[in-house]
């Protein structure tokens, strides 16, 4: 593992996601059928035959499993939280074309370049979970010729309100 210029961000992310892990939050995301079906459809369309990097795979490795089942050549599932990584390792057991890597992406190296990034690093405010620095750092893993990201964009909408 090499340390990148993003190591300060990695330390902050490790602290955030180690301290705030609750399985119920991941269950809520998994059980959001609109969200999950949208990810599944996009992955089925873009993952076959690709080398995929799943940043922040979570305890169910849900997006990584979708990629493997869609026919990805190989999936590297990254998880910074040790408890979530232990559960993800169990979820990926039996999939020979999936590798779980524990740690922050800024602290790790991959054995090959990837064609597709998948992630769910979005909070209630799109940038809340450090998506921008994480994806900027992940660019070093991309195969020549570019890459697709799922999701490809995110927006946060706000509405001004006033409390009495």
């Amino acid at each position: 593992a090499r340390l990148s210029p993003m190591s300060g961000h990695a330390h902050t992310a490790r602290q955030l996601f180690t301290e705030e892990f609750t399985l119920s939050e991941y269950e809520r995301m998994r059980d959001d059928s609109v969200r999950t079906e949208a990810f599944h459809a996009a992955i089925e369309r873009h993952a076959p035959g690709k080398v995929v990097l799943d940043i922040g795979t979570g305890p169910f490795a849900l997006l990584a499993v979708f990629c493997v089942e869609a026919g990805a050549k190989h999936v590297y599932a990254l998880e910074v939280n040790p408890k979530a990584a232990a559960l993800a390792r169990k979820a990926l057991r039996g999939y020979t074309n999936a590798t779980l890597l524990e740690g922050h992406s800024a602290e790790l190296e991959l054995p090959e370049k990837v064609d597709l990034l998948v992630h769910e690093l979005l909070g209630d405010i799109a940038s809340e979970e450090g998506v921008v620095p994480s994806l900027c750092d992940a660019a070093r893993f991309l195969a020549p010729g570019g890459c697709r990201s799922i999701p490809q964009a995110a927006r946060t909408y706000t509405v001004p309100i006033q409390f009495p």
Side-chain angles (χ1 to χ4, degrees):
R2 89 169 174 64
L3 219 51
S4 81
M6 295 294 298
S7 60
H9 171 68
H11 175 73
T12 303
R14 181 180 310 284
Q15 212 172 13
L16 172 68
F17 295 112
T18 301
E19 294 171 2
E20 295 190 13
F21 173 79
T22 60
L23 194 57
S24 63
E25 290 175 22
Y26 288 98
E27 289 170 338
R28 182 180 51 81
M29 288 189 291
R30 179 200 60 200
D31 297 342
D32 178 344
S33 61
V34 172
R35 175 195 161 281
T36 301
E37 288 170 16
F39 270 105
H40 195 238
I43 287 168
E44 282 186 325
R45 182 173 176 202
H46 296 290
K50 303 282 176 48
V51 177
V52 180
L53 173 59
D54 176 8
I55 301 176
T57 199
F60 306 119
L62 186 64
L63 302 183
V65 168
F66 286 169
C67 290
V68 168
E69 291 178 350
K73 180 179 174 184
H74 197 90
V75 179
Y76 296 97
L78 274 63
E79 179 54 52
V80 71
N81 183 289
K83 292 177 185 174
L87 293 171
R89 191 170 282 108
K90 290 179 184 176
L92 293 172
R93 190 174 292 145
Y95 292 109
T96 58
N97 59 334
T99 303
L100 180 81
L101 301 171
E102 187 175 335
H104 192 278
S105 61
E107 300 172 330
L108 300 171
E109 289 295 333
L110 297 180
E112 62 186 316
K113 296 294 186 181
V114 302
D115 307 303
L116 177 65
L117 294 173
V118 297
H119 65 88
E120 208 294 323
L121 299 173
L122 304 170
D124 294 330
I125 296 174
S127 61
E128 180 180 21
E129 293 185 17
V131 66
V132 174
S134 292
L135 293 183
C136 286
D137 176 65
R140 66 192 171 91
F141 298 126
L142 302 180
C147 168
R148 179 170 294 279
S149 175
I150 300 172
Q152 200 163 359
R155 291 190 180 120
T156 298
Y157 293 94
T158 60
V159 175
I161 61 168
Q162 181 177 358
F163 289 103

